[in-house]
């Protein structure tokens, strides 16, 4: 009812940048009963704030206990009471559309932004964790867009390793790509990619439960391989990613923490992969590589 404000409750976790992915994984796996969440990255700070919202304090405390049992990291937290209007305003601000190249990405709120002109990608409400607002995803989107400016992406085969919400695959599709293989080790992520494709009336016809090694076992090769995964895992699977490349093809790596970039560069030199381009956003780095 207009003018009626119910109370909501939020718990805000403050963690070192990089550890917010742990919270997103917990939320993504469906352990919690929450109303919504977002992640903030205060400018020029080396920490992230994860805000989780519930309509009752009892639910919030239950979620807090579930999260606490799964954490083995340092964190601070604060519980607040707020009104629904402030929550909805801040949530909608966080989920405003943004553009990469010519494509507009709308995290959630499809009905609210239904009159946007194509090309548009909508991320379904329940999958807003892979909305593109995180630096690593945004950098990967920028790299794919740059690739499309220099290559006829309609004729190229693309592998999206660790596809998550499917946003990188959907973005490639909107750029014109049709030969897209999306893979993730998490069955929830596979369903998420398929759901978001359906939400956008897009047919992603090759979404696979598995990893880069599985694609190697299938003897698959690609013109462009994209992996938006945290640094240590990228280092661990770099040999498998390299095997997926055709001659004269490219590998995009995102999810590299600035403080771990030198370790990544040492591995790339060892694997004889050349850095063609580098992009940075806050404490995150993305690289485009070639053989």
């Amino acid at each position: 009812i207009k003018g009626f404000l119910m109370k909501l409750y939020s718990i805000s976790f403050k963690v070192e940048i990089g550890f917010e992915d742990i919270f997103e994984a917990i939320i993504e796996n469906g352990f919690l009963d929450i109303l919504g969440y977002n992640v903030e990255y205060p400018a020029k700070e080396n920490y992230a704030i994860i805000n989780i919202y519930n309509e009752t304090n009892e639910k919030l405390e239950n979620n807090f206990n579930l999260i606490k049992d799964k954490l083995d990291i340092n964190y601070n937290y604060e519980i607040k009471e707020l009104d629904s209007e402030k929550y909805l305003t801040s949530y909608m601000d966080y989920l405003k559309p943004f553009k990469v190249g010519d494509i507009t990405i709308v995290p959630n709120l499809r009905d609210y932004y239904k009159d946007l002109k194509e090309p548009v990608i909508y991320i379904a409400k329940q999958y807003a964790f892979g909305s593109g607002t995180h630096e690593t995803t945004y950098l990967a989107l920028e790299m794919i867009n740059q690739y499309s400016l220099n290559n006829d992406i309609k004729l190229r085969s693309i592998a999206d390793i660790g596809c998550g919400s499917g946003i990188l695959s959907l973005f490639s599709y909107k750029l014109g790509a049709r030969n897209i293989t999306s893979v993730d080790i998490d069955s929830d992520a596979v369903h998420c990619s398929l759901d978001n494709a359906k939400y956008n009336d897009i047919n992603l016809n090759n979404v696979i439960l598995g990893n880069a090694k599985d694609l190697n076992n299938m003897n698959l090769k690609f013109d462009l391989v994209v992996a938006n995964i945290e640094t240590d895992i990228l280092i661990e699977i770099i040999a498998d990613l390299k095997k997926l490349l055709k001659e004269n093809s490219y590998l995009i790596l995102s999810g590299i923490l600035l403080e771990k970039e030198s370790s990544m560069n040492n591995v790339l030199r060892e694997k004889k992969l050349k850095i063609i381009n580098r992009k940075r956003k806050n404490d995150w780095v993305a690289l485009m590589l070639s053989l």
Side-chain angles (χ1 to χ4, degrees), residues 34-278:
I34 66 172
L35 181 62
Y37 87 103
N38 61 23
V39 183
E40 299 176 42
Y41 297 91
K44 299 181 180 178
E45 300 290 348
N46 191 38
Y47 62 83
I49 299 172
I50 304 94
N51 302 304
I52 295 174
Y53 303 95
N54 269 112
E55 55 269 66
T56 69
N57 195 40
E58 184 181 358
K59 280 189 177 182
L60 197 72
E61 288 181 1
N62 187 50
N63 287 323
F64 175 55
N65 290 328
L66 289 171
I67 293 169
K68 192 168 57 173
D69 289 344
K70 297 180 182 297
L71 292 180
D72 188 23
I73 60 172
N74 293 323
Y75 63 89
N76 295 319
Y77 73 93
E78 181 181 9
I79 294 176
K80 292 180 183 176
E81 183 180 287
L82 61 161
D83 63 60
S84 58
E85 186 175 294
K86 285 182 180 176
Y87 161 74
L88 290 171
T89 301
S90 64
Y91 197 54
M92 287 177 69
D93 282 345
Y94 173 74
L95 296 173
K96 281 181 179 174
F98 63 95
K99 288 189 80 168
V100 178
D102 295 328
I103 297 174
T104 302
I105 297 163
V106 183
N108 202 344
L109 305 173
R110 176 175 176 168
D111 292 337
Y112 190 83
Y113 292 109
K114 62 186 176 184
D115 295 326
L116 289 173
K117 292 181 180 177
E118 285 283 349
V120 181
I121 297 172
Y122 296 99
I123 302 298
K125 179 179 179 181
Q126 62 269 39
Y127 301 128
F129 63 86
S131 63
T133 53
H134 191 283
E135 288 98 326
T136 63
T137 311
Y138 187 83
L139 288 170
L141 292 167
E142 282 198 321
M143 285 278 191
I144 295 170
N145 188 64
Q146 180 185 341
Y147 175 85
S148 74
L149 296 176
N150 300 314
N151 298 270
D152 188 351
I153 201 167
K154 294 176 185 176
L155 303 177
R156 302 293 189 262
S157 54
I158 298 172
D160 178 6
I161 310 297
C163 57
S165 68
I167 187 171
L168 302 183
S169 296
L170 297 174
F171 187 76
S172 300
Y173 187 98
K174 286 286 184 178
L175 288 170
R178 293 297 179 268
N179 186 354
I180 304 167
T181 298
S182 316
V183 61
D184 203 292
I185 60 172
D186 187 339
S187 60
D188 289 335
V190 169
H191 291 305
C192 175
S193 291
L194 291 169
D195 286 350
N196 272 322
K198 186 177 180 182
Y199 196 60
N200 287 273
D201 300 318
I202 286 174
N203 182 23
L204 291 181
N205 56 14
N206 205 18
V207 184
I208 298 170
L209 179 65
N211 55 27
K213 191 181 291 291
D214 293 323
L215 298 185
N216 282 318
N217 291 337
M218 296 163 68
N219 296 315
L220 295 175
K221 300 279 187 182
F222 301 91
D223 297 299
L224 176 66
V225 176
V226 187
N228 177 26
I229 305 171
E230 61 117 332
T231 319
D232 293 338
I233 295 176
L234 285 176
I235 289 173
E236 185 181 322
I237 68 171
I238 194 69
D240 292 322
L241 294 174
K242 182 181 176 182
K243 289 177 186 175
L244 294 174
L245 298 174
K246 296 179 181 178
E247 285 187 33
N248 302 316
S249 58
Y250 294 90
L251 171 61
I252 294 172
L253 302 181
S254 193
I256 303 167
L257 264 173
L258 186 62
E259 64 188 41
K260 295 184 178 181
E261 187 179 9
S262 59
S263 298
M264 173 61 76
N265 287 340
N266 290 337
V267 173
L268 296 178
R269 279 192 291 270
E270 179 189 325
K271 300 300 180 185
K272 295 183 170 57
L273 286 162
K274 302 173 194 170
I275 298 175
I276 303 300
N277 191 20
R278 174 187 183 273

Side-chain angles (χ1 to χ4, degrees), residues 3-15:
F4 175 76
L5 295 179
M6 68 174 183
K7 290 295 179 182
L8 294 174
Y9 299 85
S10 72
I11 182 165
S12 300
F13 293 91
K14 182 178 175 181
V15 298

